[in-house]
Amino acid sequence: MRPVRLLAASIAAAATLAAPLATAQNLSPVSVIVFPGGFNWPIWVAQEQNYFAKGGIEVKLTPTPGSVFQLTNLIEGKFDIGMTAIDNVVAYMEGQGEAPVATTPDIFAFMGGDNGLLSLAVAPDVKTYSDLKGRTLSVDAMTTGYAFVLFDLLRRNGLDMGDYKVEKAGGVLARWDALKEKKHDGTMLLAPFDILAKSAGFNILQYAIDVYGHYQGLVAAARRGWAKDNSPKLDGYIRGYVAGLAWLSDPANKEAAIAVLRKNLPQMSPELAAQSYGVLVNPRGFSPRAQIDLDGVKTVLELRSRYGEPKKALGDPAKYYDAQYYDAALSK
């Protein structure tokens, strides 16, 4: 099995690793559903350093195969928190989600995460956007996630929807697997999958942040009713996550941080892990204090206003983000 294939397999299992060092006795469980990948680094650190435990909670991670599974199960109360794209929150709140849900959605973002860390990765023989004409591109879902970024980048570079084919392939791990197996010719990847792609000979046509300047990607989301009834748990999660980010960002912890990453992604080489640190632990990667970029949310809403169905003009970030829990947690 090739090293890159081994790494991808390890990423799929990563969300189940790194149990907190502290015992779970007297800790309140918090179930968190995540996309597998290195962008869970702050969570792994918070588990390793007992930051969640200090807040009275034990975080239990579940990897999701894609946004439909994640959002429908979050909305229906099977998980407490979802680390997901804010576009997914907007989509389901506006009735534009990929799949029906059994209850009326009432989810919101309470904390930021990153700027999307998005890159358009393509097959080795694709050198320009025009090379994608007639090719097949993959998305998580047609109406949620980062599909609209893909469509918009293609449009900006002269390709309309009829110029290429689109297939649904699931979350970023599944899309990366499909790309490297040559089932598709391009997809949007999240860091550090772009590093894997480049090391395997694939090309990165463009980084989304270079186009938009501001883009809100990952957020922490929950149901409003659950948040109201479980504010101590939410407080513990926010404070633990932000503490994990602070620990990651301290240069003195770099080698230990890389060790945490490789513990959770055991097939990642030291070189790739070091590259991942450089990509993720900087202002263009993780938001330094997990803050929401409201200008970035506006970019998301602009894209959804253009590509979402049914058509809606969306423009108020506050409809999908409530800062009260974040502000209260960090004021202590």
Side-chain angles (χ1 to χ4, degrees):
M1 186 177 287
R2 294 177 298 172
V4 171
R5 186 181 296 275
L6 281 168
L7 176 56
S10 71
I11 292 174
T16 62
L17 301 177
L21 297 176
T23 65
Q25 188 176 9
N26 299 323
L27 299 180
S28 298
V30 176
S31 59
V32 181
I33 185 166
V34 300
F35 286 93
F39 29 81
N40 296 308
W41 211 344
I43 299 176
W44 298 332
V45 167
Q47 290 177 316
E48 288 270 353
Q49 297 296 319
N50 288 327
Y51 294 141
F52 289 136
K54 290 175 183 176
I57 63 171
E58 179 189 11
V59 169
K60 298 182 177 181
L61 296 182
T62 298
T64 183
S67 63
V68 170
F69 181 88
Q70 183 188 53
L71 270 295
T72 54
N73 282 285
L74 178 65
I75 290 167
E76 292 170 10
K78 296 174 184 176
F79 296 95
D80 301 325
I81 293 171
M83 299 299 293
T84 190
I86 195 170
D87 181 80
N88 290 329
V89 175
V90 177
Y92 281 87
M93 287 302 296
E94 294 294 343
Q96 297 175 331
E98 185 81 0
V101 290
T103 187
T104 301
D106 191 22
I107 54 175
F108 73 108
F110 61 83
M111 182 177 70
D114 59 46
N115 66 25
L117 305 170
L118 289 170
S119 59
L120 175 51
V122 294
D125 65 325
V126 174
K127 309 297 183 184
T128 66
Y129 275 94
S130 60
D131 293 338
L132 288 172
K133 192 166 186 178
R135 302 290 194 101
T136 300
L137 302 163
S138 68
V139 297
D140 177 354
M142 292 293 290
T143 64
T144 60
Y146 301 123
F148 296 161
V149 174
L150 173 64
F151 302 154
D152 197 58
L153 293 180
L154 293 166
R155 178 189 65 82
R156 287 168 177 259
N157 287 276
L159 294 178
D160 295 322
M161 292 289 285
D163 293 330
Y164 52 88
K165 299 175 183 177
V166 183
E167 291 187 6
K168 293 187 288 186
V172 62
L173 174 60
R175 298 199 307 277
W176 165 234
D177 284 341
L179 180 65
K180 71 175 185 285
E181 292 169 9
K182 300 182 179 179
K183 294 180 180 178
H184 307 122
D185 300 295
T187 193
M188 298 303 299
L189 294 182
L190 289 75
F193 284 91
D194 60 319
I195 298 173
L196 300 180
K198 287 187 285 189
S199 70
F202 292 84
N203 297 319
I204 302 297
L205 277 189
Q206 203 160 34
Y207 286 89
I209 196 66
D210 292 332
V211 176
Y212 302 115
H214 291 269
Y215 185 89
Q216 181 65 52
L218 192 73
V219 297
R223 298 178 307 283
R224 292 183 185 274
W226 181 88
K228 182 179 180 181
D229 294 340
N230 294 275
S231 58
K233 291 184 180 182
L234 207 52
D235 182 272
Y237 186 78
I238 294 168
R239 295 175 68 189
Y241 187 96
V242 173
L245 277 172
W247 187 92
L248 264 181
S249 300
D250 185 342
N253 296 327
K254 180 178 178 180
E255 294 306 316
I258 290 173
V260 171
L261 181 65
R262 295 193 65 214
K263 176 179 178 180
N264 287 275
L265 306 179
Q267 301 304 324
M268 180 174 277
S269 70
E271 294 77 17
L272 287 176
Q275 290 180 53
S276 297
Y277 187 90
V279 168
L280 292 168
V281 187
N282 71 70
R284 280 173 59 96
F286 294 129
S287 302
R289 287 178 60 80
Q291 69 273 26
I292 286 275
D293 176 5
L294 293 179
D295 287 333
V297 179
K298 290 177 182 177
T299 300
V300 170
L301 296 180
E302 288 169 3
L303 288 171
R304 179 153 290 282
S305 296
R306 175 185 286 272
Y307 297 102
E309 295 290 345
K311 289 290 184 184
K312 291 185 178 183
L314 308 175
D316 182 11
K319 185 175 180 181
Y320 318 101
Y321 169 57
D322 187 340
Q324 65 170 304
Y325 300 100
Y326 178 88
D327 291 344
L330 296 194
S331 67
K332 296 177 181 179

